[in-house]
């Protein structure tokens, strides 16, 4: 059985990192759609206004931590305030170059964050991660 | 010694004659405040936080000197405390040391030399203590910045590096030369970002550690340099650069600091331009007169949102995603201005532009 397709949203203030993530995601063959946002607030608006999923497909959110204006934590906190049925369409992964203990602990504290991933994103990490998503 | 340089002291005694005598004896050497009771003494301390030495009589109707000092210690911890008493029993001495934490104990009737020696010694202590607390504050600030710094280094230095690493890894499996070129372009930006960050760190270090080297400033030659420096940036982004220098008198300042300020303000003005308008400009006005220079950097760029203006001078703060900011530039500007006793005023509207006005006194 071929694994389910997924929607992807990448949130990162670095254009290059968005580009890399998109490429790697496309290579997995699991992507139904991929969207990138350089501003977390725009991604949040997009998610807020999107209709509930009717195709039964989950959306994977890859969120960077350190971004100007609205950082990854602020994004997750705002996301947590969205209606439950909306949130159930999404799975959040935090992606960062941070090696700061506080950041890592803060990620663990957020129950809505599935996992913390180190940058740079590689095909191996992404494949391993997606194997756990059905 | 001018009046303001005199050491400020406060003497408390319930016998008004003593107060008058004390003031008469020491008003030449010191700025003397007196109070007939401890309530008025607190009032004086409230109004004169720079009083360095408090001398108090022990026996007073509503409160003893020791009780008063015990209270003073928590409310005004800085001044040194000297107790004056005619009844020198050992219990009172022990209590005054243990409870009142006094610096000296003087017996009544006092000798002028004893009082002067007590004040002079107390003042030495006071000065050392205050210097120590100032140094401690500086040290704490330095530690806080170091923390922020260490945190930011992982992001601002690792970030671009990891982006490049990811791109290198990815490009191993890409055959399309155009795609590779596109990625190289983005990798170049990451390298420039990292380089920009390292330069700012260098500036930061220079500002923190450097002493001022005051020289005569020739604004015309600085502006000529800046015009050359930004010529390529200006042409590539199609921005008019208008400069105006009016230097009517000599201006003395640290040239490196001045250049750091000008450079950061100008590079921001050029960087955060509006891509969607045709007549883009950056205006630099420098006017020197009446012992100071007023520098204005004005642009019609993207502007700064009201809610971010209060934050822009903070270290590593970035109000926008546009362009490759390090979050260091304006912090360095503010730091340089603090050392030059200058000030900066921001006026900005989103989508209309930003004006930074800097005022620096001549040294």
């Amino acid at each position: 059985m071929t694994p389910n397709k997924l929607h992807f949203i990448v949130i990162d203030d670095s254009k290059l990192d968005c580009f890399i993530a998109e490429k790697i995601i496309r290579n997995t063959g699991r992507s139904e759609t991929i969207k990138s946002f350089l501003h977390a607030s725009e991604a949040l608006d997009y998610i807020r206004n999107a209709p509930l999923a009717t195709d039964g497909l989950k959306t994977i959110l890859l969120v960077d931590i350190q971004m100007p204006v609205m950082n990854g934590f602020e994004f997750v906190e705002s996301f947590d305030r969205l209606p439950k049925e909306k949130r159930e369409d999404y799975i959040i992964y935090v992606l960062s170059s941070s090696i700061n203990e506080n950041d890592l602990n803060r990620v663990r504290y957020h129950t809505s964050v599935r996992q913390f991933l180190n940058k740079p994103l590689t095909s191996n990490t992404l494949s391993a991660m997606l194997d756990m998503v059905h | 010694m001018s009046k303001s340089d005199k050491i400020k002291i406060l003497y408390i005694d319930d016998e008004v004659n003593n107060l008058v005598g004390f003031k008469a004896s020491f008003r030449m050497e010191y700025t003397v405040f007196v109070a007939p009771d401890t309530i008025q003494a607190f009032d004086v301390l409230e109004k004169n936080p720079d009083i360095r030495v408090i001398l108090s009589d022990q026996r007073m109707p509503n409160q003893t000197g020791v009780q008063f000092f015990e209270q003073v210690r928590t409310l005004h911890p800085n001044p040194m405390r000297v107790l004056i008493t005619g009844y020198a029993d050992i219990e009172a001495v022990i209590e005054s040391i243990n409870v009142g934490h006094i610096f000296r104990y003087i017996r009544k009737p006092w000798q002028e030399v004893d009082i002067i020696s007590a004040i002079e010694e107390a003042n030495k202590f006071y000065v050392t203590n205050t210097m120590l607390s100032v140094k401690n504050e500086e040290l704490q600030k330095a530690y806080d910045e170091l923390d922020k710094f260490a945190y930011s280094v992982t992001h601002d230095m690792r970030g671009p590096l990891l982006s490049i690493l990811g791109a290198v890894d990815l490009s191993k499996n890409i055959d399309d030369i155009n795609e590779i070129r596109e990625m190289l372009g983005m990798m170049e930006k990451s390298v420039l970002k990292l380089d920009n960050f390292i330069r700012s760190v260098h500036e930061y270090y220079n500002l923190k550690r450097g002493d001022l080297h005051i020289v005569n400033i020739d604004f015309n030659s600085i502006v000529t340099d800046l015009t050359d420096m930004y010529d390529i940036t200006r042409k590539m982004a199609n921005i008019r650069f208008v400069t105006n220098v009016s230097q009517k008198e000599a201006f003395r300042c640290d040239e490196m600091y001045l250049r750091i300020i000008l450079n950061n303000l100008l590079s921001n003005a050029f960087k955060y331009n509006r891509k969607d308008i045709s007549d883009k400009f950056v205006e630099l006005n420098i006017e020197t007169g009446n012992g100071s220079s007023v520098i204005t950097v004005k642009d019609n760029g993207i502007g700064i949102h009201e809610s971010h203006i209060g934050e822009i001078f903070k270290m590593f703060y970035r109000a926008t995603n546009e362009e490759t900011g390090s979050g260091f530039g304006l912090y360095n500007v503010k730091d340089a201005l603090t050392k030059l006793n200058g000030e900066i005023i921001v006026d900005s509207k989103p989508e209309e532009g930003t004006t930074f006005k800097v005022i620096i006194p001549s040294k």
Side-chain angles (χ1 to χ4, degrees):
Chain A
M1 193 190 101
T2 51
N4 281 344
K5 288 269 184 179
L6 294 160
H7 296 291
F8 286 86
I9 291 178
V10 181
I11 306 169
D12 199 312
D13 62 317
S14 153
K15 242 187 200 166
L16 181 54
D17 286 359
C18 285
F19 182 86
I20 294 168
E22 280 183 37
K23 281 269 177 225
I24 291 174
I25 292 166
R26 201 159 287 129
N27 290 342
T28 60
R30 297 270 311 259
S31 58
E32 181 72 23
T33 61
I34 310 173
K35 277 200 161 48
S36 290
F37 292 92
L38 293 170
H39 304 259
S41 55
E42 284 173 14
L44 192 70
D45 285 342
Y46 173 82
I47 293 168
R48 191 178 284 131
N49 297 326
L52 294 178
T54 48
D55 53 9
L57 303 186
K58 291 271 187 202
T59 300
I60 304 287
L61 281 171
L62 293 176
V63 190
D64 182 26
I65 295 183
Q66 281 149 312
M67 294 181 283
V69 189
M70 180 190 251
N71 67 32
F73 293 119
E74 287 160 344
F75 170 83
V76 172
E77 277 150 27
S78 307
F79 176 88
D80 284 345
R81 287 196 288 272
L82 293 174
K84 189 169 183 286
E85 63 269 27
K86 165 83 70 175
R87 281 183 277 133
E88 280 171 348
D89 288 343
Y90 298 87
I91 304 173
I92 302 180
Y93 291 88
V94 165
L95 192 63
S96 175
S97 61
S98 181
I99 39 180
N100 180 282
E101 271 304 312
N102 283 342
D103 281 351
L104 303 188
N105 285 332
R106 242 180 119 179
V107 171
R108 285 183 201 116
Y109 169 79
H110 279 287
T111 45
S112 48
V113 175
R114 178 74 63 94
Q115 204 187 325
F116 176 89
L117 303 173
N118 282 311
K119 276 189 181 179
L121 187 64
T122 62
S123 329
N124 289 342
T125 359
L126 189 68
S127 303
M129 175 193 122
L130 293 181
D131 283 345
M132 318 272 272
V133 182
H134 300 287
Chain B
M1 211 186 253
S2 77
K3 194 169 182 262
S4 60
D5 288 338
K6 282 190 195 172
I7 299 168
K8 289 188 179 169
I9 60 172
L10 167 64
Y11 178 57
I12 304 121
D13 198 320
D14 60 323
E15 281 176 51
V16 178
N17 284 341
N18 284 345
L19 293 180
V20 175
F22 187 91
K23 196 160 188 173
S25 306
F26 301 109
R27 69 187 166 83
M28 296 305 283
E29 278 99 334
Y30 309 111
T31 303
V32 183
F33 295 88
V34 291
D37 57 55
T38 58
I39 296 158
Q40 288 187 47
F42 273 114
D43 203 40
V44 173
L45 284 169
E46 207 62 57
K47 286 180 189 141
N48 303 280
D50 52 345
I51 286 177
R52 295 186 174 186
V53 185
I54 308 170
L55 305 103
S56 173
D57 185 26
Q58 164 67 348
R59 299 238 172 149
M60 292 178 288
N62 57 345
Q63 211 178 16
T64 69
V66 171
Q67 286 166 341
F68 167 64
F69 278 151
E70 192 183 0
Q71 244 183 314
V72 165
R73 263 178 61 211
T74 47
L75 295 170
H76 304 277
N78 294 334
M80 304 299 295
R81 296 169 292 272
V82 176
L83 193 71
I84 302 179
T85 179
Y87 311 88
D89 60 284
I90 192 74
E91 286 308 314
V93 177
I94 291 170
E95 205 197 358
S96 64
I97 291 171
N98 290 348
V99 179
H101 289 215
I102 59 155
F103 176 73
R104 280 280 174 92
Y105 194 96
I106 294 173
R107 210 186 279 234
K108 257 185 183 175
W110 41 260
Q111 304 287 312
E112 234 171 84
V113 283
D114 290 342
I115 298 276
I116 289 178
S117 130
I119 292 172
E120 292 302 319
E121 288 303 315
N123 182 53
K124 277 186 203 159
F125 248 77
Y126 178 91
V127 171
T128 319
N129 275 346
T130 349
M131 258 165 48
L132 203 63
S133 74
V134 168
K135 284 281 164 207
N136 268 338
E137 249 171 64
E138 281 175 13
L139 212 56
Q140 191 52 51
K141 201 174 161 237
Y143 273 129
D144 290 348
E145 281 183 2
L146 198 64
D147 279 349
K148 270 197 203 167
F149 198 74
Y151 178 73
S152 140
V153 162
T154 65
H155 179 255
D156 292 294
M157 295 180 85
R158 272 194 101 220
L161 272 181
L162 295 181
S163 297
I164 297 164
L165 195 63
V168 168
D169 187 52
L170 192 61
S171 58
K172 285 177 190 157
N173 301 313
I174 297 176
D175 298 322
D176 183 353
I177 188 76
N178 287 324
E179 222 172 287
I180 300 261
R181 281 213 182 98
E182 193 190 343
M183 283 174 66
L184 279 175
M186 285 191 259
M187 285 159 81
E188 188 184 16
K189 270 198 180 159
S190 288
V191 173
L192 289 174
K193 190 174 174 173
L194 187 55
D195 185 49
N196 180 27
F197 183 78
I198 292 167
R199 277 166 194 270
S200 307
V201 171
H202 182 70
E203 273 185 4
Y204 167 82
Y205 184 80
N206 280 345
L207 286 170
K208 284 286 171 206
R209 295 285 166 264
D211 294 325
L212 293 176
H213 299 289
I214 304 297
V215 292
N216 274 321
I217 301 293
D218 176 7
F219 276 117
N220 277 311
S221 92
I222 292 181
V223 169
T224 309
D225 284 356
L226 290 168
T227 312
D228 289 345
M229 212 159 96
Y230 286 102
D231 202 42
I232 297 174
T233 321
R234 181 187 78 73
K235 280 180 182 146
M236 291 215 326
N238 194 21
I239 300 171
R240 275 191 302 128
F241 186 28
V242 188
T243 62
N244 211 331
V245 178
S246 141
Q247 187 168 6
K248 297 189 192 84
E249 60 185 39
F251 182 67
R252 291 178 59 75
C253 195
D254 183 299
E255 186 160 340
M256 185 192 75
Y257 281 39
L258 208 55
R259 280 180 187 268
I260 286 175
I261 294 165
L262 283 165
N263 244 327
N264 278 300
L265 293 179
L266 283 176
S267 80
N268 280 350
F270 281 110
K271 205 188 280 177
Y272 299 111
N273 65 68
R274 277 175 67 190
K275 312 255 179 310
D276 57 334
I277 55 168
S278 53
D279 184 32
K280 291 179 260 192
F281 71 82
V282 171
E283 224 178 82
L284 170 64
N285 274 303
I286 302 175
E287 233 174 282
T288 304
N290 297 326
S292 68
S293 283
V294 179
I295 301 168
T296 323
V297 176
K298 185 180 168 150
D299 65 58
N300 59 349
I302 61 172
I304 307 159
H305 198 275
E306 210 182 332
S307 59
H308 296 306
I309 285 189
E311 314 281 326
I312 55 174
F313 294 106
K314 289 188 183 160
M315 196 189 234
F316 303 125
Y317 187 82
R318 294 192 56 212
T320 172
N321 242 340
E322 306 270 327
E323 303 303 327
T324 56
S326 63
F328 233 136
L330 287 179
Y331 176 87
N332 282 343
V333 167
K334 186 90 181 180
D335 209 35
L337 280 171
T338 308
K339 291 215 169 152
L340 299 174
N341 299 323
E343 54 175 319
I344 186 161
I345 302 156
V346 200
D347 182 25
S348 185
K349 270 210 178 102
E351 303 304 309
E352 280 185 28
T354 305
T355 305
F356 281 99
K357 186 175 171 187
V358 172
I359 303 154
I360 307 170
S362 181
K363 290 268 169 190

